[in-house]
Amino acid sequence: DTEVTQTPKHLVMGMTNKKSLKCEQHMGHRAMYWYKQKAKKPPELMFVYSYEKLSINESVPSRFSPECPNSSLLNLHLHALQPEDSALYLCASSRISGRLGEQYFGPGTRLTVT
Amino acid sequence: SQKIEQNSEALNIQEGKTATLTCNYTNYSPAYLQWYRQDPGRGPVFLLLIRENEKEKRKERLKVTFDTTLKQSLFHITASQPADSATYLCALSSGGYQKVTFGTGTKLQVIP
């Protein structure tokens, strides 16, 4: 199984809402990532978890709160977002040892903040 | 600051020809370089990875070269097909598995 799944596919939320994005993989990967991608731009790294611990936070505003409950799941909790946070949010996973680098991406969640 | 540029925002090519995409970087010493394909509204899909001590890598109709002196990678698709139409992203990492930085992307259109 080389699939990374993300739910929901689409999300519309107001600036006062609280919502969560979910990501799951069953490839045994111990590194998981959140990226943000705006239209016609490359993915931008937000967070990296390795062995379920946060290892990289790319100075992301605190209205984005990641969580890794176990080695297969990754959540991104959203609160008090701004319209400019509207984007495609991508989850990815990769090995930590052995063949490095290759990342497997989910289909993304299209987020619209109104 | 680190910069990764893909020389064309868009590239149109006739079916059957070889498409060549370029990735240039500055202020970076990547340990390895990757190429991904991304279709509209979908996540990137890994295609090839090449290490700093490798000159060339091939996979079916795909070929990647990596010149650390020129700070450049070339990505070739031979015998291109309309199904190859997508955005292609190069991505660099200076080491380890964690931090990968993506280039600006090239939108390839293969015309039948």
Side-chain angles (χ1 to χ4, degrees):
Chain A
D1 182 4
T2 58
E3 196 182 19
V4 176
T5 58
Q6 289 187 245
T7 55
K9 288 185 84 164
H10 302 275
L11 179 62
V12 179
M13 61 185 289
M15 289 191 283
T16 58
N17 290 158
K18 278 187 184 181
K19 296 284 184 185
S20 296
L21 308 185
K22 295 188 184 302
C23 173
E24 190 166 4
Q25 58 89 13
H26 294 288
M27 292 177 278
H29 292 168
R30 301 306 295 275
M32 295 186 77
Y33 311 75
W34 280 115
Y35 288 87
K36 173 182 177 179
Q37 187 174 27
K38 302 280 265 184
K40 296 185 190 263
K41 297 287 186 186
E44 290 180 10
L45 184 66
M46 300 174 70
F47 302 104
V48 181
Y49 272 83
S50 51
Y51 296 108
E52 295 87 70
K53 291 198 176 358
L54 184 65
S55 56
I56 294 179
N57 176 343
E58 289 286 276
S59 304
V60 178
S62 60
R63 57 186 185 268
F64 295 91
S65 174
E67 180 198 18
C68 191
N70 61 54
S71 59
S72 301
L73 291 174
L74 187 66
N75 298 323
L76 186 62
H77 303 296
L78 314 172
H79 174 53
L81 294 193
Q82 305 295 310
E84 59 265 28
D85 296 322
S86 299
L88 182 68
Y89 287 84
L90 293 162
C91 172
S93 69
S94 76
R95 292 179 180 85
I96 282 186
S97 61
R99 233 173 66 191
L100 301 179
E102 179 177 340
Q103 295 194 5
Y104 291 81
F105 283 82
T109 293
R110 174 73 60 190
L111 174 67
T112 304
V113 182
T114 60
Chain B
S1 61
Q2 295 173 347
K3 223 173 179 184
I4 305 166
E5 286 182 328
Q6 295 184 238
N7 65 332
S8 304
E9 242 188 71
L11 178 66
N12 293 333
I13 193 161
Q14 210 68 38
E15 182 177 3
K17 301 288 188 187
T18 296
T20 298
L21 285 64
T22 306
C23 176
N24 295 292
Y25 58 92
T26 54
N27 298 323
Y28 213 128
S29 296
Y32 55 87
L33 186 148
Q34 305 175 61
W35 284 88
Y36 288 81
R37 169 189 173 134
Q38 188 172 25
D39 292 285
R42 309 287 297 271
V45 174
F46 171 80
L47 296 174
L48 279 168
L49 180 149
I50 187 165
R51 290 185 161 75
E52 59 179 337
N53 59 352
E54 297 174 320
K55 295 290 184 196
E56 184 179 297
K57 215 61 168 303
R58 290 176 187 259
K59 179 182 173 185
E60 296 170 357
R61 295 185 294 113
L62 308 179
K63 184 176 92 171
V64 173
T65 62
F66 193 11
D67 189 327
T68 54
T69 305
L70 289 178
K71 296 186 184 293
Q72 182 181 79
S73 173
L74 299 179
F75 177 76
H76 307 273
I77 306 175
T78 57
S80 57
Q81 304 165 0
D84 295 326
S85 299
T87 294
Y88 290 85
L89 299 156
C90 69
L92 277 69
S93 175
S94 55
Y97 58 90
Q98 297 194 58
K99 189 160 177 180
V100 172
T101 306
F102 284 86
T104 48
T106 295
K107 186 173 181 179
L108 175 69
Q109 181 85 20
V110 180
I111 303 160

Short mmCIF file of all heavy atoms in Angstrom, two decimals, chain B residues 35-92:
data_model
loop_
_atom_site.label_atom_id
_atom_site.label_comp_id
_atom_site.label_asym_id
_atom_site.label_seq_id
_atom_site.Cartn_x
_atom_site.Cartn_y
_atom_site.Cartn_z
N TRP B 35 12.89 14.76 -8.75
CA TRP B 35 11.89 15.30 -9.68
C TRP B 35 10.54 14.67 -9.37
O TRP B 35 10.43 13.46 -9.14
CB TRP B 35 12.29 15.03 -11.12
CG TRP B 35 13.38 15.93 -11.60
CD1 TRP B 35 14.72 15.72 -11.49
CD2 TRP B 35 13.22 17.20 -12.25
NE1 TRP B 35 15.41 16.78 -12.03
CE2 TRP B 35 14.51 17.70 -12.50
CE3 TRP B 35 12.12 17.96 -12.64
CZ2 TRP B 35 14.74 18.92 -13.14
CZ3 TRP B 35 12.33 19.18 -13.27
CH2 TRP B 35 13.62 19.65 -13.51
N TYR B 36 9.52 15.54 -9.34
CA TYR B 36 8.14 15.13 -9.09
C TYR B 36 7.26 15.62 -10.22
O TYR B 36 7.54 16.63 -10.86
CB TYR B 36 7.62 15.75 -7.78
CG TYR B 36 8.20 15.17 -6.52
CD1 TYR B 36 9.45 15.56 -6.06
CD2 TYR B 36 7.49 14.24 -5.78
CE1 TYR B 36 9.98 15.03 -4.89
CE2 TYR B 36 8.00 13.70 -4.60
CZ TYR B 36 9.25 14.11 -4.18
OH TYR B 36 9.76 13.59 -3.01
N ARG B 37 6.15 14.90 -10.40
CA ARG B 37 5.11 15.31 -11.34
C ARG B 37 3.89 15.68 -10.52
O ARG B 37 3.52 14.99 -9.56
CB ARG B 37 4.78 14.14 -12.27
CG ARG B 37 3.53 14.35 -13.09
CD ARG B 37 3.10 13.13 -13.83
NE ARG B 37 1.81 13.37 -14.46
CZ ARG B 37 1.52 13.05 -15.71
NH1 ARG B 37 2.44 12.44 -16.47
NH2 ARG B 37 0.33 13.31 -16.21
N GLN B 38 3.22 16.79 -10.91
CA GLN B 38 2.00 17.18 -10.24
C GLN B 38 0.92 17.50 -11.26
O GLN B 38 1.12 18.34 -12.14
CB GLN B 38 2.21 18.37 -9.30
CG GLN B 38 0.98 18.68 -8.45
CD GLN B 38 1.23 19.74 -7.38
OE1 GLN B 38 2.13 20.57 -7.51
NE2 GLN B 38 0.43 19.71 -6.32
N ASP B 39 -0.21 16.82 -11.13
CA ASP B 39 -1.38 17.12 -11.94
C ASP B 39 -2.27 18.10 -11.19
O ASP B 39 -2.23 18.16 -9.96
CB ASP B 39 -2.13 15.83 -12.27
CG ASP B 39 -1.32 14.94 -13.20
OD1 ASP B 39 -1.25 15.28 -14.40
OD2 ASP B 39 -0.72 13.95 -12.74
N PRO B 40 -3.11 18.86 -11.91
CA PRO B 40 -3.91 19.91 -11.26
C PRO B 40 -4.74 19.36 -10.11
O PRO B 40 -5.43 18.35 -10.26
CB PRO B 40 -4.78 20.43 -12.40
CG PRO B 40 -4.00 20.15 -13.64
CD PRO B 40 -3.28 18.86 -13.37
N GLY B 41 -4.70 20.02 -8.96
CA GLY B 41 -5.50 19.65 -7.81
C GLY B 41 -5.08 18.36 -7.13
O GLY B 41 -5.80 17.85 -6.27
N ARG B 42 -3.90 17.83 -7.49
CA ARG B 42 -3.42 16.58 -6.90
C ARG B 42 -2.09 16.81 -6.21
O ARG B 42 -1.41 17.82 -6.44
CB ARG B 42 -3.22 15.51 -7.99
CG ARG B 42 -4.40 15.31 -8.91
CD ARG B 42 -5.54 14.59 -8.24
NE ARG B 42 -5.21 13.25 -7.83
CZ ARG B 42 -5.35 12.18 -8.61
NH1 ARG B 42 -5.81 12.31 -9.84
NH2 ARG B 42 -5.05 10.98 -8.16
N GLY B 43 -1.68 15.85 -5.36
CA GLY B 43 -0.38 15.95 -4.73
C GLY B 43 0.72 15.54 -5.71
O GLY B 43 0.49 14.80 -6.66
N PRO B 44 1.95 16.02 -5.48
CA PRO B 44 3.08 15.62 -6.33
C PRO B 44 3.33 14.12 -6.24
O PRO B 44 3.09 13.50 -5.20
CB PRO B 44 4.26 16.40 -5.73
CG PRO B 44 3.64 17.55 -5.01
CD PRO B 44 2.34 17.04 -4.49
N VAL B 45 3.82 13.56 -7.35
CA VAL B 45 4.17 12.15 -7.41
C VAL B 45 5.66 12.04 -7.71
O VAL B 45 6.16 12.64 -8.67
CB VAL B 45 3.35 11.41 -8.51
CG1 VAL B 45 3.83 9.97 -8.66
CG2 VAL B 45 1.88 11.45 -8.17
N PHE B 46 6.38 11.28 -6.87
CA PHE B 46 7.82 11.11 -7.03
C PHE B 46 8.14 10.39 -8.33
O PHE B 46 7.49 9.39 -8.69
CB PHE B 46 8.36 10.31 -5.84
CG PHE B 46 9.79 9.90 -5.99
CD1 PHE B 46 10.81 10.80 -5.73
CD2 PHE B 46 10.13 8.63 -6.42
CE1 PHE B 46 12.13 10.43 -5.87
CE2 PHE B 46 11.44 8.25 -6.57
CZ PHE B 46 12.45 9.14 -6.29
N LEU B 47 9.18 10.90 -9.03
CA LEU B 47 9.60 10.27 -10.29
C LEU B 47 11.01 9.68 -10.17
O LEU B 47 11.23 8.50 -10.40
CB LEU B 47 9.56 11.28 -11.43
CG LEU B 47 8.18 11.84 -11.78
CD1 LEU B 47 8.30 12.95 -12.82
CD2 LEU B 47 7.25 10.74 -12.27
N LEU B 48 11.98 10.53 -9.84
CA LEU B 48 13.38 10.10 -9.82
C LEU B 48 14.14 10.88 -8.76
O LEU B 48 13.84 12.04 -8.49
CB LEU B 48 14.06 10.38 -11.18
CG LEU B 48 13.85 9.40 -12.32
CD1 LEU B 48 14.35 10.00 -13.62
CD2 LEU B 48 14.55 8.08 -12.04
N LEU B 49 15.18 10.22 -8.23
CA LEU B 49 16.09 10.87 -7.29
C LEU B 49 17.51 10.62 -7.77
O LEU B 49 17.85 9.52 -8.20
CB LEU B 49 15.89 10.28 -5.89
CG LEU B 49 16.77 10.80 -4.74
CD1 LEU B 49 16.02 10.73 -3.42
CD2 LEU B 49 18.09 10.04 -4.63
N ILE B 50 18.35 11.67 -7.69
CA ILE B 50 19.75 11.53 -8.09
C ILE B 50 20.62 12.13 -7.00
O ILE B 50 20.29 13.20 -6.46
CB ILE B 50 20.00 12.17 -9.48
CG1 ILE B 50 21.43 11.88 -9.96
CG2 ILE B 50 19.69 13.67 -9.48
CD1 ILE B 50 21.63 12.16 -11.44
N ARG B 51 21.69 11.45 -6.65
CA ARG B 51 22.58 11.91 -5.57
C ARG B 51 23.69 12.79 -6.14
O ARG B 51 24.01 12.74 -7.34
CB ARG B 51 23.15 10.71 -4.83
CG ARG B 51 22.10 10.00 -4.00
CD ARG B 51 22.63 8.88 -3.15
NE ARG B 51 21.69 8.57 -2.09
CZ ARG B 51 20.56 7.91 -2.26
NH1 ARG B 51 20.23 7.48 -3.46
NH2 ARG B 51 19.76 7.67 -1.24
N GLU B 52 24.34 13.54 -5.28
CA GLU B 52 25.35 14.50 -5.70
C GLU B 52 26.54 13.83 -6.39
O GLU B 52 27.21 14.46 -7.20
CB GLU B 52 25.85 15.31 -4.50
CG GLU B 52 26.45 14.49 -3.40
CD GLU B 52 26.94 15.33 -2.24
OE1 GLU B 52 27.23 16.52 -2.44
OE2 GLU B 52 27.03 14.79 -1.13
N ASN B 53 26.79 12.56 -6.08
CA ASN B 53 27.93 11.88 -6.69
C ASN B 53 27.52 11.06 -7.93
O ASN B 53 28.33 10.32 -8.48
CB ASN B 53 28.60 10.96 -5.67
CG ASN B 53 27.65 9.92 -5.12
OD1 ASN B 53 26.45 9.97 -5.39
ND2 ASN B 53 28.17 8.99 -4.34
N GLU B 54 26.28 11.23 -8.37
CA GLU B 54 25.80 10.56 -9.57
C GLU B 54 25.64 11.60 -10.68
O GLU B 54 25.20 12.72 -10.44
CB GLU B 54 24.45 9.87 -9.30
CG GLU B 54 24.54 8.76 -8.26
CD GLU B 54 23.17 8.19 -7.91
OE1 GLU B 54 22.20 8.98 -7.80
OE2 GLU B 54 23.09 6.96 -7.74
N LYS B 55 25.96 11.19 -11.90
CA LYS B 55 25.86 12.11 -13.03
C LYS B 55 24.53 11.97 -13.75
O LYS B 55 24.00 12.95 -14.29
CB LYS B 55 27.00 11.83 -14.03
CG LYS B 55 28.38 12.09 -13.49
CD LYS B 55 28.62 13.57 -13.31
CE LYS B 55 30.03 13.83 -12.85
NZ LYS B 55 30.20 15.17 -12.31
N GLU B 56 24.02 10.74 -13.77
CA GLU B 56 22.85 10.47 -14.60
C GLU B 56 22.04 9.32 -14.00
O GLU B 56 22.59 8.39 -13.39
CB GLU B 56 23.32 10.08 -16.01
CG GLU B 56 22.23 9.86 -17.02
CD GLU B 56 22.81 9.51 -18.38
OE1 GLU B 56 23.52 10.34 -18.96
OE2 GLU B 56 22.53 8.39 -18.84
N LYS B 57 20.71 9.44 -14.15
CA LYS B 57 19.81 8.36 -13.71
C LYS B 57 18.73 8.19 -14.76
O LYS B 57 18.24 9.19 -15.32
CB LYS B 57 19.18 8.81 -12.39
CG LYS B 57 18.86 7.80 -11.28
CD LYS B 57 19.92 7.07 -10.73
CE LYS B 57 19.71 6.27 -9.48
NZ LYS B 57 19.24 6.95 -8.31
N ARG B 58 18.35 6.95 -14.99
CA ARG B 58 17.29 6.70 -15.99
C ARG B 58 16.20 5.83 -15.40
O ARG B 58 16.45 4.97 -14.55
CB ARG B 58 17.88 5.98 -17.20
CG ARG B 58 18.79 6.80 -18.06
CD ARG B 58 19.39 5.97 -19.17
NE ARG B 58 20.40 6.72 -19.90
CZ ARG B 58 20.19 7.30 -21.08
NH1 ARG B 58 19.03 7.21 -21.66
NH2 ARG B 58 21.16 7.97 -21.68
N LYS B 59 14.99 6.06 -15.90
CA LYS B 59 13.85 5.19 -15.55
C LYS B 59 12.88 5.24 -16.71
O LYS B 59 12.25 6.26 -16.97
CB LYS B 59 13.18 5.70 -14.27
CG LYS B 59 11.99 4.88 -13.83
CD LYS B 59 11.37 5.48 -12.59
CE LYS B 59 10.09 4.79 -12.22
NZ LYS B 59 9.43 5.44 -11.07
N GLU B 60 12.83 4.16 -17.45
CA GLU B 60 11.94 4.06 -18.62
C GLU B 60 12.22 5.23 -19.56
O GLU B 60 13.33 5.36 -20.05
CB GLU B 60 10.47 3.99 -18.15
CG GLU B 60 10.20 2.74 -17.34
CD GLU B 60 8.85 2.74 -16.66
OE1 GLU B 60 8.11 3.74 -16.75
OE2 GLU B 60 8.54 1.74 -16.01
N ARG B 61 11.25 6.10 -19.84
CA ARG B 61 11.48 7.21 -20.79
C ARG B 61 12.06 8.45 -20.11
O ARG B 61 12.22 9.50 -20.75
CB ARG B 61 10.14 7.57 -21.47
CG ARG B 61 9.57 6.48 -22.36
CD ARG B 61 8.31 6.96 -23.09
NE ARG B 61 7.21 7.22 -22.17
CZ ARG B 61 6.70 8.43 -21.95
NH1 ARG B 61 7.18 9.49 -22.58
NH2 ARG B 61 5.69 8.60 -21.11
N LEU B 62 12.36 8.36 -18.84
CA LEU B 62 12.84 9.52 -18.08
C LEU B 62 14.35 9.43 -17.87
O LEU B 62 14.88 8.34 -17.65
CB LEU B 62 12.15 9.59 -16.71
CG LEU B 62 10.63 9.52 -16.69
CD1 LEU B 62 10.13 9.59 -15.25
CD2 LEU B 62 10.01 10.62 -17.53
N LYS B 63 15.01 10.59 -17.96
CA LYS B 63 16.44 10.66 -17.66
C LYS B 63 16.71 11.95 -16.90
O LYS B 63 16.18 13.00 -17.24
CB LYS B 63 17.27 10.65 -18.94
CG LYS B 63 18.78 10.62 -18.69
CD LYS B 63 19.56 10.53 -19.98
CE LYS B 63 19.93 11.88 -20.51
NZ LYS B 63 20.88 11.80 -21.65
N VAL B 64 17.51 11.84 -15.86
CA VAL B 64 17.91 13.02 -15.07
C VAL B 64 19.43 13.10 -15.06
O VAL B 64 20.11 12.09 -14.90
CB VAL B 64 17.39 12.91 -13.62
CG1 VAL B 64 17.96 14.03 -12.77
CG2 VAL B 64 15.90 12.94 -13.57
N THR B 65 19.94 14.32 -15.23
CA THR B 65 21.36 14.57 -15.04
C THR B 65 21.54 15.59 -13.93
O THR B 65 20.64 16.39 -13.66
CB THR B 65 22.03 15.08 -16.32
OG1 THR B 65 21.44 16.33 -16.69
CG2 THR B 65 21.88 14.08 -17.46
N PHE B 66 22.72 15.55 -13.31
CA PHE B 66 22.97 16.41 -12.16
C PHE B 66 24.40 16.90 -12.26
O PHE B 66 25.33 16.09 -12.22
CB PHE B 66 22.76 15.59 -10.87
CG PHE B 66 22.69 16.37 -9.59
CD1 PHE B 66 22.57 17.75 -9.57
CD2 PHE B 66 22.73 15.71 -8.37
CE1 PHE B 66 22.49 18.45 -8.37
CE2 PHE B 66 22.63 16.40 -7.16
CZ PHE B 66 22.51 17.77 -7.17
N ASP B 67 24.58 18.19 -12.43
CA ASP B 67 25.91 18.78 -12.56
C ASP B 67 26.11 19.74 -11.39
O ASP B 67 25.58 20.85 -11.41
CB ASP B 67 26.03 19.52 -13.90
CG ASP B 67 27.44 19.97 -14.19
OD1 ASP B 67 28.18 20.32 -13.23
OD2 ASP B 67 27.84 19.99 -15.38
N THR B 68 26.88 19.30 -10.39
CA THR B 68 27.06 20.12 -9.19
C THR B 68 27.99 21.30 -9.43
O THR B 68 27.99 22.25 -8.66
CB THR B 68 27.57 19.28 -8.01
OG1 THR B 68 28.75 18.59 -8.42
CG2 THR B 68 26.54 18.27 -7.57
N THR B 69 28.77 21.22 -10.52
CA THR B 69 29.64 22.36 -10.87
C THR B 69 28.80 23.49 -11.47
O THR B 69 28.94 24.65 -11.09
CB THR B 69 30.73 21.93 -11.86
OG1 THR B 69 31.45 20.84 -11.30
CG2 THR B 69 31.67 23.09 -12.17
N LEU B 70 27.92 23.13 -12.38
CA LEU B 70 27.03 24.12 -12.99
C LEU B 70 25.85 24.45 -12.08
O LEU B 70 25.11 25.40 -12.35
CB LEU B 70 26.48 23.58 -14.32
CG LEU B 70 27.44 23.48 -15.49
CD1 LEU B 70 26.73 22.89 -16.70
CD2 LEU B 70 28.03 24.85 -15.84
N LYS B 71 25.66 23.64 -11.04
CA LYS B 71 24.49 23.78 -10.15
C LYS B 71 23.20 23.68 -10.96
O LYS B 71 22.31 24.54 -10.90
CB LYS B 71 24.55 25.10 -9.37
CG LYS B 71 25.75 25.20 -8.42
CD LYS B 71 25.67 26.45 -7.58
CE LYS B 71 26.89 26.62 -6.69
NZ LYS B 71 26.98 25.58 -5.65
N GLN B 72 23.12 22.57 -11.69
CA GLN B 72 21.99 22.41 -12.60
C GLN B 72 21.62 20.93 -12.75
O GLN B 72 22.47 20.05 -12.73
CB GLN B 72 22.39 22.96 -13.97
CG GLN B 72 21.29 22.91 -15.01
CD GLN B 72 21.78 23.46 -16.34
OE1 GLN B 72 22.47 22.79 -17.11
NE2 GLN B 72 21.41 24.68 -16.63
N SER B 73 20.31 20.70 -12.90
CA SER B 73 19.82 19.38 -13.24
C SER B 73 18.96 19.51 -14.49
O SER B 73 18.19 20.47 -14.63
CB SER B 73 18.98 18.78 -12.10
OG SER B 73 18.37 17.57 -12.51
N LEU B 74 19.10 18.53 -15.39
CA LEU B 74 18.24 18.46 -16.57
C LEU B 74 17.37 17.21 -16.45
O LEU B 74 17.85 16.14 -16.05
CB LEU B 74 19.08 18.38 -17.84
CG LEU B 74 19.99 19.57 -18.13
CD1 LEU B 74 20.78 19.34 -19.42
CD2 LEU B 74 19.22 20.87 -18.22
N PHE B 75 16.11 17.38 -16.83
CA PHE B 75 15.13 16.29 -16.77
C PHE B 75 14.59 16.09 -18.18
O PHE B 75 14.07 17.03 -18.78
CB PHE B 75 14.01 16.67 -15.80
CG PHE B 75 12.89 15.68 -15.68
CD1 PHE B 75 13.05 14.51 -14.96
CD2 PHE B 75 11.67 15.92 -16.29
CE1 PHE B 75 12.01 13.59 -14.84
CE2 PHE B 75 10.62 15.02 -16.19
CZ PHE B 75 10.79 13.85 -15.46
N HIS B 76 14.76 14.88 -18.71
CA HIS B 76 14.36 14.59 -20.09
C HIS B 76 13.23 13.57 -20.09
O HIS B 76 13.31 12.56 -19.36
CB HIS B 76 15.53 14.01 -20.88
CG HIS B 76 16.78 14.84 -20.84
ND1 HIS B 76 17.02 15.88 -21.73
CD2 HIS B 76 17.85 14.80 -20.02
CE1 HIS B 76 18.19 16.41 -21.47
NE2 HIS B 76 18.71 15.79 -20.43
N ILE B 77 12.24 13.82 -20.94
CA ILE B 77 11.20 12.82 -21.22
C ILE B 77 11.31 12.53 -22.72
O ILE B 77 11.03 13.40 -23.54
CB ILE B 77 9.79 13.34 -20.90
CG1 ILE B 77 9.70 13.85 -19.46
CG2 ILE B 77 8.76 12.23 -21.13
CD1 ILE B 77 8.35 14.49 -19.12
N THR B 78 11.70 11.31 -23.06
CA THR B 78 11.81 10.96 -24.47
C THR B 78 10.47 10.42 -24.97
O THR B 78 9.65 9.96 -24.20
CB THR B 78 12.90 9.90 -24.68
OG1 THR B 78 12.58 8.76 -23.87
CG2 THR B 78 14.27 10.41 -24.28
N ALA B 79 10.29 10.52 -26.29
CA ALA B 79 9.06 10.04 -26.93
C ALA B 79 7.83 10.54 -26.16
O ALA B 79 6.97 9.75 -25.74
CB ALA B 79 9.06 8.52 -27.03
N SER B 80 7.76 11.86 -25.96
CA SER B 80 6.73 12.43 -25.11
C SER B 80 5.32 12.13 -25.63
O SER B 80 5.10 12.01 -26.85
CB SER B 80 6.93 13.93 -24.96
OG SER B 80 6.94 14.55 -26.22
N GLN B 81 4.39 12.02 -24.70
CA GLN B 81 3.00 11.70 -25.01
C GLN B 81 2.09 12.74 -24.36
O GLN B 81 2.46 13.33 -23.35
CB GLN B 81 2.67 10.30 -24.44
CG GLN B 81 3.58 9.19 -24.90
CD GLN B 81 3.44 7.94 -24.06
OE1 GLN B 81 2.67 7.90 -23.10
NE2 GLN B 81 4.21 6.92 -24.39
N PRO B 82 0.89 12.95 -24.90
CA PRO B 82 -0.04 13.90 -24.26
C PRO B 82 -0.26 13.60 -22.78
O PRO B 82 -0.46 14.52 -21.98
CB PRO B 82 -1.32 13.73 -25.08
CG PRO B 82 -0.83 13.34 -26.44
CD PRO B 82 0.37 12.45 -26.18
N ALA B 83 -0.20 12.32 -22.39
CA ALA B 83 -0.39 11.94 -20.98
C ALA B 83 0.75 12.44 -20.09
O ALA B 83 0.61 12.44 -18.85
CB ALA B 83 -0.50 10.43 -20.86
N ASP B 84 1.85 12.88 -20.70
CA ASP B 84 2.96 13.44 -19.91
C ASP B 84 2.70 14.89 -19.52
O ASP B 84 3.47 15.49 -18.76
CB ASP B 84 4.27 13.38 -20.70
CG ASP B 84 4.72 11.95 -20.98
OD1 ASP B 84 4.49 11.07 -20.12
OD2 ASP B 84 5.28 11.72 -22.06
N SER B 85 1.65 15.48 -20.04
CA SER B 85 1.31 16.87 -19.74
C SER B 85 1.00 17.01 -18.25
O SER B 85 0.12 16.33 -17.72
CB SER B 85 0.11 17.34 -20.56
OG SER B 85 0.41 17.27 -21.94
N ALA B 86 1.74 17.87 -17.59
CA ALA B 86 1.62 18.06 -16.13
C ALA B 86 2.61 19.14 -15.74
O ALA B 86 3.38 19.64 -16.56
CB ALA B 86 1.93 16.77 -15.37
N THR B 87 2.63 19.49 -14.45
CA THR B 87 3.67 20.36 -13.92
C THR B 87 4.75 19.49 -13.29
O THR B 87 4.45 18.54 -12.56
CB THR B 87 3.10 21.33 -12.87
OG1 THR B 87 2.18 22.22 -13.51
CG2 THR B 87 4.20 22.15 -12.21
N TYR B 88 6.00 19.80 -13.62
CA TYR B 88 7.12 19.03 -13.11
C TYR B 88 7.93 19.91 -12.15
O TYR B 88 8.27 21.05 -12.47
CB TYR B 88 8.00 18.53 -14.26
CG TYR B 88 7.29 17.45 -15.05
CD1 TYR B 88 6.41 17.80 -16.08
CD2 TYR B 88 7.45 16.10 -14.75
CE1 TYR B 88 5.72 16.83 -16.80
CE2 TYR B 88 6.78 15.13 -15.46
CZ TYR B 88 5.91 15.50 -16.48
OH TYR B 88 5.22 14.53 -17.18
N LEU B 89 8.17 19.36 -10.97
CA LEU B 89 8.86 20.09 -9.91
C LEU B 89 10.19 19.42 -9.59
O LEU B 89 10.23 18.19 -9.43
CB LEU B 89 8.00 20.07 -8.63
CG LEU B 89 6.62 20.71 -8.69
CD1 LEU B 89 5.72 20.14 -7.62
CD2 LEU B 89 6.74 22.22 -8.50
N CYS B 90 11.25 20.22 -9.50
CA CYS B 90 12.48 19.68 -8.93
C CYS B 90 12.49 20.01 -7.45
O CYS B 90 11.85 20.98 -7.01
CB CYS B 90 13.73 20.19 -9.64
SG CYS B 90 14.09 21.94 -9.38
N ALA B 91 13.19 19.21 -6.68
CA ALA B 91 13.22 19.40 -5.23
C ALA B 91 14.61 19.02 -4.73
O ALA B 91 15.17 18.01 -5.16
CB ALA B 91 12.16 18.53 -4.55
N LEU B 92 15.15 19.85 -3.85
CA LEU B 92 16.51 19.63 -3.37
C LEU B 92 16.51 19.42 -1.86
O LEU B 92 15.70 20.00 -1.14
CB LEU B 92 17.39 20.85 -3.68
CG LEU B 92 17.99 20.93 -5.08
CD1 LEU B 92 16.93 21.19 -6.11
CD2 LEU B 92 19.05 22.00 -5.12
#
